């Protein structure tokens, strides 16, 4: 049994990691590790970077093709896709968000890891409201881009 | 972001996903005291918002019973309304000036109500029972083939459990993947309304199918009661074919205190929150980490309710990892190999005791932990609703992988009685996406049975049967595959 089947928490060993060069360009990380019949991510990708053998297989991202546009982040019904990017000495994480209040650009928010543990502060860089799942890009320490997966807006 | 009024702390004021329309205040009487609810409330939801949790008393013991399933199945909310006892208040609409009273055990039935009541006859090609995902798709598909359909549902809203599914669905474009269940319900309702315009579908809400009666040859006859402002009208429905999409009922777990008001089915809580906009309480312990437990926990957080933890008796999380991950990154812990030992409280839930299980599922002594909470949700499985099916004399069989007793049926969703079809959870517990396809298959099959649109219909059905098989191919479809295989083996053996 995989550890995440017990805990609900993935470790970076559970999926393929992009190279440094790919991270600088920005890539989508698909934290989708179980074969569930689902494929909206494939349809959402404008450059055909996500592929699947059939509806019950795992999606695979071609990191070189991926343009880090974030369309798949809002398309994934499991809210399991994140875009990560290294920009100079900072990191950017784009994540799906379905809570209130909605953060604004420039706002400081708490950033949380896969266990909901506080990993410090981040600055909201971009908020896309396309449908009810909001897409938030938050600037964090570049060492945290593979850990930050949620935000908490300060009330 | 949506806001609405309402003075109770239990009414959800704003929600990230659901648009609760501003409602009008309604005055009603609860045990002769004036109370206020809102249009769109059921009696049960209005009382719940007022923090009135004791709705009825156990038939056997003197203990209080409260809101449990929220969808008119469990009998835990029976009350007297305008003098009529045993009204399922969780689904009965709140109306102005009605008198709602707690009843003591089984109240006497007033014999005036149904004596000499005149009944209206309805003749129709196909009767569809249940307006959830399966029933709506079955109706639309049968009407599209040219048949005349009567769709009966006992709720005030059509949509079954879709109207509380605020998460995006999985699947492919064909199954409307990425669309929220609440939106799918609206879209299907629109399709039904279009067919209503040319009288291809006749929709009867607030109506309960009360029994099957012998009809003329090749006809099925049912009694249907429609409630209009707490006045009942009786219908004598005759049809050439019937599709039963009666859904399922939430399972109960055995432990001391399981009947205390404040112990809910997880689906009941979902109904309370996402249909009526009412929180179950302030602090929740969720029992069961299957998809229902995980999804409802996440939706509780969205409604602004604290979820203390999710416990699961199995050594692993049964639901999709992506649902568990959503919950974990919000800080909600999931404890596998844990069970609930008891729920305690004086007349309502004040807390519970959880216990760790060893490899043999036995409680580990000394591992008990007391948790203070006002709500315990049970997400421990569903049982298919088949009572009407058993009246029609179709062959019923216990298939554990299907969730209990179900009607045996073939690939075209026909039961062992010619012209009688099943679809959705009442043919075996599965997902809404598969229920919709089963509904489509049953709808086409039923129309074909009556001779509508032969060639086109057969082609369409073949396509749907293929879609369904494809959806069940993955590891999460295994249980359904086993269930359907067992069903077809029993049918083969019978031949």
């Amino acid at each position: 049994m995989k550890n995440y089947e017990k805990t609900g928490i993935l470790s970076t060993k559970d999926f393929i990691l992009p190279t440094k060069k790919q991270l600088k360009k920005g890539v989508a990380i698909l934290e989708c590790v179980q074969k569930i019949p689902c494929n909206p991510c494939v349809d959402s990708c404008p450059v055909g970077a996500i592929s699947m053998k059939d509806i019950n297989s795992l999606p695979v991202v071609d990191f070189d093709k991926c343009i880090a546009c974030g369309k798949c982040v809002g398309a994934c019904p499991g809210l399991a896709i994140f875009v990560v990017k290294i920009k100079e000495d900072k990191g950017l994480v784009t994540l799906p968000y379905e809570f209130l209040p909605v953060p604004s650009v420039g706002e400081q928010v708490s950033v949380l890891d896969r266990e909901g543990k506080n990993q410090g502060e981040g600055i909201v860089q971009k908020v896309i409201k396309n449908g009810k799942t909001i897409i938030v890009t938050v600037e964090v320490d570049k060492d945290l881009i593979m850990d930050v997966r949620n935000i908490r807006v300060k009330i | 972001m949506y806001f609405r009024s309402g003075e109770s702390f239990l009414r959800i004021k704003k929600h990230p996903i659901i648009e609760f329309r501003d409602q009008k205040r309604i005055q009603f009487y609860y045990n002769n005291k004036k109370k206020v609810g809102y249009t769109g409330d059921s009696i049960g939801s209005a009382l719940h918002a007022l923090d009135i949790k004791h709705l009825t008393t156990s038939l056997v013991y003197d203990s209080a019973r409260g809101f449990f399933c929220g969808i008119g199945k469990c009998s835990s909310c029976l009350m007297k309304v305008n003098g009529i006892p045993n009204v399922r208040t969780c689904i009965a609409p709140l109306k102005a000036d009605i008198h709602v009273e707690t009843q003591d055990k089984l109240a006497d039935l007033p014999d005036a109500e149904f004596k000499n009541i005149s009944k209206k006859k309805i003749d129709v090609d196909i009767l569809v029972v249940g307006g959830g995902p399966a029933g709506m798709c079955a109706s639309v598909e049968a009407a599209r083939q040219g048949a005349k359909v009567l769709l009966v549902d006992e709720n005030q809203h059509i949509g079954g459990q879709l109207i509380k599914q605020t998460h995006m669905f999985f699947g492919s474009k064909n199954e409307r993947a990425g669309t929220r269940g609440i939106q799918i319900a609206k879209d299907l309702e629109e399709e039904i309304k279009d067919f209503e315009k040319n009288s291809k579908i006749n929709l009867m809400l607030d109506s309960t199918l009360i029994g099957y009666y012998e009809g003329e040859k090749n006809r099925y006859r049912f009694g249907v009661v429609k409630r209009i402002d707490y006045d009942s009208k009786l219908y004598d429905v005759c049809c050439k074919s019937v599709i039963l999409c009666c859904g399922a009922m939430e399972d109960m777990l055995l432990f001391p205190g399981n009947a205390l008001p404040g112990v809910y089915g997880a689906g009941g809580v979902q109904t309370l929150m996402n249909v009526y906009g009412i929180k179950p309480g302030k602090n929740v312990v969720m029992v069961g980490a299957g998809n229902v437990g995980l999804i409802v926990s996440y939706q509780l957080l969205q409604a602004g309710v604290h979820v203390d933890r999710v416990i699961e008796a199995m050594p692993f999380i049964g639901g999709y990892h992506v649902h568990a991950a959503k919950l974990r990154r919000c800080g909600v812990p999931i404890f596998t190999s844990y069970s609930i030992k008891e729920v305690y409280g004086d007349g309502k839930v004040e807390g519970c005791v959880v216990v760790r299980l060893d490899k043999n599922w036995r409680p580990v002594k000394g591992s008990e932990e007391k948790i203070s909470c006002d709500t315990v949700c049970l997400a421990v499985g569903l049982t298919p609703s088949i009572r009407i099916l058993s009246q029609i004399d179709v062959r019923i069989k216990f298939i554990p992988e299907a969730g209990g007793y179900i009607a045996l049926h073939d690939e075209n969703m026909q039961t062992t009685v010619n012209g009688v079809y099943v679809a959705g959870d009442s043919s075996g517990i599965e997902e809404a996406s598969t229920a919709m396809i089963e509904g489509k298959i049953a709808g086409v099959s039923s129309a074909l049975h009556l001779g509508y649109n032969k060639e086109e219909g057969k082609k369409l059905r073949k396509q749907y049967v293929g879609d369904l098989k494809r959806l069940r191919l993955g590891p999460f479809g295994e249980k359904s595959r086993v269930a359907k295989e067992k069903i077809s083996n029993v049918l083969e053996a019978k031949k």
Side-chain angles (χ1 to χ4, degrees), chain A residues 74-150:
Chain A
C76 173
L79 310 189
I81 306 183
F82 306 85
V83 172
V84 294
K85 189 175 179 173
I86 290 177
K87 199 179 166 189
E88 289 151 20
D89 60 335
K90 285 287 175 191
L92 293 173
V93 178
T94 301
L95 47 85
Y97 189 70
E98 291 189 327
F99 290 91
L100 293 177
V102 173
S104 339
V105 172
E107 197 175 327
Q108 195 181 59
V109 293
S110 303
V111 293
L112 314 175
D113 63 13
R114 292 186 185 85
E115 205 178 339
K117 284 197 177 138
N118 200 325
Q119 295 292 335
E121 308 292 322
I123 307 286
V124 175
Q125 298 292 320
K126 203 172 168 188
V127 177
I128 302 171
K129 294 175 195 169
N130 185 15
K132 282 162 185 167
T133 303
I134 288 154
I135 312 302
V136 179
T137 302
V138 62
E139 187 188 83
V140 296
D141 189 303
K142 73 172 173 18
D143 295 331
L144 289 175
I145 56 167
M146 289 313 284
D147 297 317
V148 167
R149 289 297 177 262
N150 197 7

Side-chain angles (χ1 to χ4, degrees), chain B residues 357-486:
Chain B
L357 303 178
D358 67 13
K359 273 191 292 193
N360 303 312
W361 299 62
R362 276 192 290 259
V364 177
K365 257 196 187 151
S367 69
E368 291 87 354
E369 191 182 337
K370 208 168 162 178
I371 306 162
S372 169
C373 63
D374 61 0
T375 305
V376 171
C377 278
L378 303 181
V380 293
L382 297 155
T383 298
S385 294
I386 56 148
R387 276 177 294 190
I388 290 290
L389 279 155
S390 50
Q391 284 187 11
I392 308 176
D393 211 22
V394 303
R395 243 189 110 206
I396 306 282
K397 175 107 182 129
F398 187 82
I399 310 273
E401 291 81 1
Y405 286 97
I406 49 129
L408 296 178
H409 55 274
D410 61 17
E411 195 174 69
N412 300 327
M413 304 314 292
Q414 181 167 268
T415 64
T416 50
V417 175
N418 213 9
V420 178
Y421 300 84
V422 274
D425 273 353
S426 61
S427 72
I429 305 300
E430 247 181 309
E431 302 285 328
S433 45
T434 45
M436 289 190 276
I437 306 182
E438 284 185 343
K440 288 177 183 177
I441 296 170
V444 177
S445 295
S446 178
L448 277 171
H449 173 72
L450 302 182
Y452 289 105
N453 206 356
K454 283 268 181 208
E455 286 317 305
E456 194 77 0
K458 272 184 192 160
K459 242 192 265 167
L460 202 57
R461 182 168 68 181
K462 204 173 162 195
Q463 182 202 319
Y464 293 148
V465 170
D467 286 347
L468 193 55
K469 280 196 180 141
R470 192 170 46 86
L471 269 190
R472 288 180 183 142
L473 271 181
F476 283 95
E478 198 194 337
K479 218 170 160 183
S480 315
R481 291 198 303 270
V482 172
K484 299 293 174 185
E485 204 174 300
K486 280 190 177 179

Side-chain angles (χ1 to χ4, degrees), chain B residues 35-289:
Chain B
K35 297 284 175 191
V36 171
Y38 288 85
T39 47
D41 267 336
S42 72
I43 295 172
S45 77
L47 290 174
H48 198 288
L50 295 164
D51 211 17
I52 296 168
K53 292 192 171 175
H54 175 179
L55 303 180
T56 188
T57 307
S58 158
L59 293 183
V60 185
Y61 309 104
D62 288 323
S63 50
R65 288 282 172 91
F67 201 96
F68 180 81
C69 82
I71 54 169
K73 302 232 180 197
C74 77
S75 308
S76 186
C77 65
L78 299 184
M79 296 178 88
K80 209 184 251 189
V81 181
N82 285 354
I84 303 165
N86 306 338
V87 174
R88 291 175 195 273
T89 53
C90 72
I91 58 165
L94 186 72
K95 300 276 176 184
D97 302 322
I98 53 170
H99 283 260
V100 181
E101 293 165 85
T102 37
Q103 68 183 53
D104 188 24
K105 300 183 190 288
L106 268 187
D108 287 334
L109 293 172
D111 51 27
E113 206 209 350
F114 286 111
K115 264 195 186 156
N116 305 320
I117 190 170
S118 64
K119 54 181 192 275
K120 207 177 153 195
K121 217 172 158 178
I122 300 181
D123 252 307
V124 69
D125 284 339
I126 300 168
L127 170 66
V128 179
V129 186
M136 287 197 286
C137 287
S139 304
V140 166
E141 215 62 39
R144 198 172 277 149
Q145 303 301 310
K148 264 196 157 187
V149 177
L150 173 67
L151 172 57
V152 171
D153 191 284
E154 62 183 345
N155 293 282
Q156 53 175 325
H157 320 271
I158 190 166
Q161 309 317 308
L162 281 178
I163 61 171
K164 62 192 193 190
Q165 309 298 340
T166 55
H167 58 283
M168 293 185 270
F169 277 31
F170 297 95
S172 71
K173 260 188 205 157
N174 283 346
E175 292 87 43
R176 307 186 204 208
T179 312
R180 293 174 204 277
I182 43 175
Q183 187 57 47
I184 295 174
K186 279 184 196 154
D187 296 345
L188 287 171
E189 187 180 354
E190 283 307 310
E191 286 188 52
I192 286 172
K193 280 190 176 150
D194 280 342
F195 282 111
E196 268 191 300
K197 281 177 203 152
N198 58 17
S199 306
K200 277 291 173 201
I201 296 179
N202 175 10
L203 174 63
M204 261 172 89
L205 291 174
D206 281 313
S207 303
T208 306
L209 195 88
I210 53 166
Y212 165 70
Y213 302 90
E214 237 159 80
E216 293 161 42
K217 200 169 176 262
N218 297 328
R219 291 278 193 288
Y220 301 95
R221 193 171 161 220
F222 297 91
V224 174
V225 171
K226 184 172 170 64
R227 297 173 297 277
I228 304 159
D229 290 339
Y230 294 95
D231 206 13
S232 301
K233 274 212 161 83
L234 187 60
Y235 290 87
D236 180 359
V237 178
C238 283
C239 58
K240 295 174 197 155
S241 172
V242 57
I243 308 171
L244 292 144
C245 312
C246 307
M249 140 142 206
E250 296 199 83
D251 290 345
M252 183 40 111
L253 261 191
L254 284 178
F255 55 85
N258 65 357
L260 267 183
V263 177
Y264 305 84
V269 159
Q270 206 183 20
T271 300
L272 204 52
M273 285 192 298
N274 298 348
V275 178
Y276 301 110
I278 294 162
K279 303 177 200 181
K282 286 179 181 162
N283 190 22
V284 177
V285 170
M286 179 67 67
V287 182

